[in-house]
Amino acid sequence: MGYVATEICDETGSWLTDFAIDYQLVKANEGDIIFLSSEDEKQRYGLDNYPIENKRVLIRKLSMIEQSVSYMVHTNRELILMLQGRKPFAVFFSIRGENYNVFNGQNFYKYKKLIKYKKVQIEDKIYHFKYLEKEYWRISAFILVEKIRSYLGNSVSLEAAEGELLGYSREENIQFINNFYMRYVVQQGN
């Protein structure tokens, strides 16, 4: 349940449109990135009935959050949303000593004049902040939310504050809290 073919933007590396698919009919495995260079390729993979425009497509299962909400989750779409002016601020994490692409394949470097970067290390956790020019203030606010969370534990208020800082609307935050946070985090004690 909940499988999609997600278009990947060649220029930015960001995820674009999701197409709900019947996983049983697709001739690819979950996690595969397939290259659709022609209509024949779309047909070969069983994707010829979808209006896919980009050549790179990721076959994936929707995350628990995506299955819980009706809006588009920003994960792996941060760069494209920032370029569109729909997301003011993004946060990525890494752990000291780990070496991997913290930006999930998104090509932020190409847009470094438009999207600013600041790295902050707190203990072993490294925060990689991406922000639009006038949104620098969000870094201090985010760090404050994280410090309060580390002292007092998580709460609905802190989740809402974090969502607001990351550019989610009030309605999206309410939906996330009601449909995901209260159901999976609070009730299951995570």
Side-chain angles (χ1 to χ4, degrees), residues 2-188:
Y3 284 91
V4 293
T6 301
E7 292 181 293
I8 301 173
C9 178
D10 289 329
E11 189 173 325
T12 65
S14 294
W15 290 0
L16 299 172
T17 310
D18 293 325
F19 296 96
I21 59 173
D22 183 341
Y23 186 67
Q24 304 298 324
L25 301 177
V26 173
K27 297 171 185 83
N29 295 315
E30 180 181 347
D32 284 353
I33 294 177
I34 54 179
F35 297 89
L36 305 174
S37 55
S38 67
E39 288 299 316
D40 289 342
E41 288 286 306
K42 284 176 72 174
Q43 187 172 13
R44 189 179 106 188
Y45 285 106
L47 296 170
D48 47 323
N49 292 325
Y50 303 97
I52 296 170
E53 295 178 12
N54 284 24
K55 292 182 179 171
R56 285 194 309 158
V57 175
L58 169 66
I59 304 300
R60 67 185 187 87
K61 187 174 184 177
L62 291 172
S63 70
M64 286 180 67
I65 294 172
E66 289 174 301
Q67 291 180 45
S68 301
V69 298
S70 63
Y71 60 86
M72 182 184 67
V73 175
H74 297 183
T75 304
N76 294 316
R77 294 179 167 92
E78 293 90 351
L79 175 55
I80 199 83
L81 292 172
M82 291 178 91
L83 291 172
Q84 294 170 347
R86 295 170 49 200
K87 184 171 184 66
F89 177 69
V91 181
F92 301 88
F93 304 95
S94 62
I95 303 296
R96 187 174 56 194
E98 290 184 2
N99 188 15
Y100 58 91
N101 181 346
V102 71
F103 303 118
N104 301 321
Q106 296 178 85
N107 189 5
F108 277 98
Y109 184 77
K110 184 175 181 177
Y111 301 96
K112 65 183 182 180
K113 289 185 178 179
L114 296 171
I115 299 173
K116 308 302 179 195
Y117 173 71
K118 181 168 178 69
K119 181 167 114 177
V120 175
Q121 183 170 336
I122 301 174
E123 298 177 7
D124 283 342
K125 197 172 198 179
I126 301 168
Y127 296 87
H128 303 267
F129 299 106
K130 291 292 190 175
Y131 59 96
L132 300 178
E133 182 117 12
K134 295 181 181 181
E135 305 295 340
Y136 184 80
W137 66 270
R138 291 175 188 266
I139 295 172
S140 298
F142 187 88
I143 290 171
L144 179 60
V145 167
E146 286 296 293
K147 284 184 178 180
I148 293 169
R149 187 178 277 141
S150 74
Y151 296 139
L152 304 175
N154 209 3
S155 71
V156 169
S157 298
L158 292 174
E159 282 295 326
E162 181 178 313
E164 195 77 26
L165 288 169
L166 293 171
Y168 288 97
S169 71
R170 183 174 193 276
E171 294 76 20
E172 290 168 339
N173 278 320
I174 290 169
Q175 192 179 135
F176 170 79
I177 288 166
N178 289 337
N179 296 354
F180 180 77
Y181 181 78
M182 296 304 288
R183 181 177 298 157
Y184 295 106
V185 179
V186 174
Q187 288 182 1
Q188 295 179 10

